[in-house]
Amino acid sequence: MLRTDFYFDLPQELIAQHPSGIRGQDKLMQLGRTDGTVTHHMMDELPDLITPDTLMVFNDSRVRRARVYGIKETTGRKQEFMFLNQIDKDGFVWNTLVKSAKKQKPGMRYTFPDGSIGIIVDNPQNEGTEFRSLQFDFIMDESWFDKNGHMPLPPYIRRGDTEEDSERYQNVYAKETGSAACPTAGLHFTEDMLGRLSAKGIERVFVTLHVGLGTFLPVREDRIEEHKMHEELFTVAPDTARKINDAKKSGRPILAVGTTSVRTLESACDSDGMVNAGTQKTHIFIYPGFRFRVVDQMFTNFHTPESTLIMLVSAFSTRENILNAYKTAVENRYRFFSYGDAMLIK
C-alpha cells in the first residue's frame, strides 16, 4: 500500500491556527464505520449520539512544555530542542528532537533561559536521525520545563505559543505529565460535557499514553509497510483494565477518544481482546488490514494527509469512507488538525 493512497487536497485556510472561541463549540461529523454515511452535528450534540451502555476511554496524559530554546555557546545562536524522554535511569540525559540536527555535534554546549547548561553527548542510535542526546548536571523535573519551555504546538500551526495555548492545548482532564504533543481529540471536551455524559449514564475510564514521535513523525517510505514507528510509553491501571474487560464480555461498545487511546487499547490486549494492566512500550502501526480487538467506536480529529493517523482511521473504517468524509469536510468548511473540528466513527 502506498503513502500517496492517503493523500487529499486541503486548502491552507482550513488548517486551524487557533482554538475555537470557546472550548467545545466545534463542528462534529458522524461517520458510519461500515457504510460511510455522513451526518453533520455540533459537539454539543455528542451525548445524544452515544448510547448509555457505552464505555468511553480517554488518554489523560498531560502536555509538557517540551519545546525549549538554548543558546549555542560558540555562536550565540538560538537552537530549538523538543524534549521527548529521559534515556538514563538517573534523569541527567534526555532524548531530544533537534532542528538542523546534522550541525549539532557531541560536545556542543547550550545555555538555557535559567542559565543551565546542556551538552550534546554521543549516542550511536542518533546517527543519521533528527535526534540528539542532551546531558545536564542535575535531574530535570517539570518545574524546569515550566520555567524554560514553551507549549509544543505542531509545525502546521504557524505562530508562536501564547498564554492561551497553555490552557487550550491541554485537555481539561489531563493528569499525568509526559507528552510532547497533545492528544488533541480530547480538546473538544469541557467539564460541562463530561458532566452531561455522566448524567446520561455513560461511563468513562482513563489510560495514559505519553505522546511522542511515534504518533507524529511523517511517513517517508513510499510503501507504508516499511514505516517504523518510534516507541511510546503507556499505562493501563488494573481497575481500568477490569472495567474495559467487563464491558467487552457484556457486549457493551468501547468508544476510544483519540488515536492514542486506540493505540493503547490495541497494544495492551491479548488475542481475545482482553486488556492487560501495566506499563509497557508500544510501536504499534495501525493501517488498513489491521484487526481491531478492543475498540468499537472512535472519536477523533481530522488528520494530516499521508500521516499514520489518517492510516489508522482508514483501518478502522475504510480508506474510501475516510477520504470521502474528508472531501465532504472540506466542502463544508470543517477546521482541520489539532485545533480543528471532530469526527465520531461508529
Side-chain angles (χ1 to χ4, degrees), residues 24-214:
Q25 291 191 352
D26 306 298
K27 292 180 181 179
L28 173 62
M29 176 185 289
Q30 179 168 303
L31 174 67
R33 180 180 180 183
T34 55
D35 64 13
T37 301
V38 168
T39 55
H40 302 284
H41 306 272
M42 293 299 294
M43 183 65 192
D44 193 56
E45 301 173 60
L46 181 66
D48 299 325
L49 303 176
I50 302 175
T51 56
D53 61 338
T54 302
L55 178 64
M56 298 183 72
V57 183
F58 294 78
N59 179 8
D60 68 0
S61 182
R62 187 172 181 83
V63 182
R64 172 179 288 127
R65 298 180 71 90
R67 177 174 283 124
V68 190
Y69 295 91
I71 302 299
K72 192 173 182 179
E73 276 195 354
T74 54
T75 64
R77 291 182 178 175
K78 182 185 288 189
Q79 178 65 46
E80 177 185 309
F81 294 89
M82 181 73 78
F83 283 75
L84 299 174
N85 57 279
Q86 297 175 359
I87 58 174
D88 70 322
K89 61 183 178 62
D90 297 320
F92 293 99
V93 183
W94 278 73
N95 187 33
T96 67
L97 177 68
V98 187
K99 284 193 172 183
S100 305
K102 290 181 180 179
K103 299 179 181 178
Q104 317 311 318
K105 308 293 185 182
M108 290 182 174
R109 296 163 59 91
Y110 299 85
T111 303
F112 292 91
D114 67 345
S116 56
I117 303 294
I119 304 172
I120 293 181
V121 294
D122 188 50
N123 183 343
Q125 293 183 350
N126 292 337
E127 291 298 321
T129 73
E130 305 97 330
F131 305 110
R132 292 294 180 268
S133 298
L134 203 58
Q135 181 174 350
F136 293 79
D137 62 1
F138 61 95
I139 297 175
M140 297 160 61
D141 57 20
E142 294 308 323
S143 65
W144 187 88
F145 290 101
D146 290 341
K147 185 187 304 180
N148 294 278
H150 296 260
M151 294 303 284
L153 299 180
Y156 49 73
I157 295 180
R158 303 189 177 197
R159 59 176 178 82
D161 64 313
T162 66
E163 196 55 41
E164 179 187 38
D165 297 307
S166 298
E167 177 205 356
R168 295 297 299 275
Y169 195 66
Q170 198 79 266
N171 291 317
V172 297
Y173 50 78
K175 182 179 178 183
E176 304 292 338
T177 301
S179 281
C182 184
T184 53
L187 293 179
H188 302 280
F189 290 84
T190 64
E191 293 291 357
D192 178 68
M193 173 58 71
L194 295 174
R196 289 177 58 205
L197 291 167
S198 294
K200 191 174 177 181
I202 298 168
E203 187 180 9
R204 63 179 175 271
V205 294
F206 296 92
V207 296
T208 305
L209 181 142
H210 292 312
V211 184
L213 292 180

